[in-house]
Amino acid sequence: MSSATSGARARARVEVTAAIKDEARRQLAADGAAKLSLRAVARELGMVSSALYRYFPSRDDLLTALIIDAYDSLGAAVEEAHAEVAAAGSVRRWTVACEAVRSWALDHPHEYALIYGSPVPGYSAPVTTIQAAARVGLLLVGIVRDAHRGRGVAVRPLPDALRAEAERLGADLAPDLPPAVNMALVAAWAQLFGLVGFEVFGQFNRVVEDRSAFFSYATTQLAHSVGLLDQE
């Protein structure tokens, strides 16, 4: 096989793979992840099911590809926004990163639902999703780590009942940070995505009107909860 033929086939495979994913995302938006069907995707693309299986052997394989794409798209958006303020103070870096999460989620509500909404029945995410899923969290940890190495960070002392859990978390998350900081980071991470999820899924309707101002206030409070100081 000539290199030209091999290159053409590789390009065709990339194009077909992209088309499959695009149609799958359309179906996610219309019917949700639980109803995603390889047969339906193949039918809409004018393909026989056996041809689509050469690209994605199962529905779970297609879901995994969509999940990794969504996490990577979110991670890239947050990293790009943060890069523009990387020289700013830690609270500013934190809130800009959080704002980027919110902006991406509002622009991609169905993909956000795929990665942070209800679990898909019968699907269990493989370890291959972990690296992409960790991008936002690692960036937030990096902001706190930089502050800790500089002026330091201060959070409330841990109750004795949580100390063992905090040390376990810290060993996996950021062993160079104090246990109380790691525990605060996990709490802030959960609250961040809770705030975004409430807005994306309509839970703030008739509750919060100025959601941009509220989100800015809330994420600044989260920055303080992990020990970041406004003057840094």
Side-chain angles (χ1 to χ4, degrees):
M1 182 186 300
S2 70
S3 60
T5 301
S6 178
R9 288 187 176 180
R11 288 193 297 273
R13 184 174 184 85
V14 169
E15 292 171 359
V16 174
T17 299
I20 292 169
K21 289 180 179 179
D22 286 344
E23 175 56 29
R25 292 187 188 98
R26 190 196 67 77
Q27 291 191 20
L28 288 178
D31 302 314
K35 294 184 178 180
L36 182 64
S37 162
L38 289 183
R39 291 183 180 274
V41 171
R43 182 173 60 250
E44 291 299 322
L45 293 176
M47 300 172 64
V48 296
S49 298
S50 58
L52 190 146
Y53 293 143
R54 292 199 293 269
Y55 295 86
F56 297 100
S58 70
R59 180 209 68 160
D60 284 5
D61 291 308
L62 178 54
L63 273 175
T64 296
L66 296 176
I67 287 168
I68 291 173
D69 283 355
Y71 276 129
D72 276 332
S73 177
L74 170 60
V78 175
E79 289 162 3
E80 182 178 352
H82 175 261
E84 296 181 1
V85 296
S90 60
V91 171
R92 173 65 174 159
R93 291 168 62 194
W94 175 279
T95 56
V96 165
C98 293
E99 291 284 357
V101 172
R102 174 177 180 260
S103 295
W104 184 90
L106 293 176
D107 288 342
H108 304 84
H110 305 294
E111 291 171 77
Y112 185 86
L114 177 63
I115 54 178
Y116 287 111
S118 299
V120 180
Y123 174 80
S124 180
V127 296
T128 52
T129 61
I130 292 176
Q131 182 175 355
R135 289 174 68 170
V136 173
L138 290 176
L139 187 145
L140 295 176
V141 170
I143 294 171
V144 175
R145 179 178 287 119
D146 289 346
H148 181 66
R149 290 171 178 169
R151 296 173 60 93
V153 294
V155 297
R156 292 181 179 178
L158 282 171
D160 290 340
L162 276 178
R163 186 162 300 280
E165 179 70 5
E167 290 175 353
R168 183 195 63 80
L169 279 171
D172 293 332
L173 182 62
D176 55 323
L177 292 176
V181 175
N182 276 304
M183 188 61 79
L185 270 165
V186 173
W189 171 77
Q191 290 174 76
L192 166 62
F193 286 97
L195 285 165
V196 174
F198 259 51
E199 184 168 2
V200 171
F201 303 134
Q203 299 301 317
F204 281 145
N205 291 348
R206 299 183 181 180
V207 179
V208 177
E209 296 297 332
D210 191 344
R211 292 167 193 163
S212 294
F214 175 76
F215 188 82
S216 178
Y217 164 79
T219 53
T220 300
Q221 297 307 303
L222 291 181
H224 296 159
S225 77
V226 298
L228 301 183
L229 304 174
D230 289 313
Q231 63 265 35
E232 290 175 322

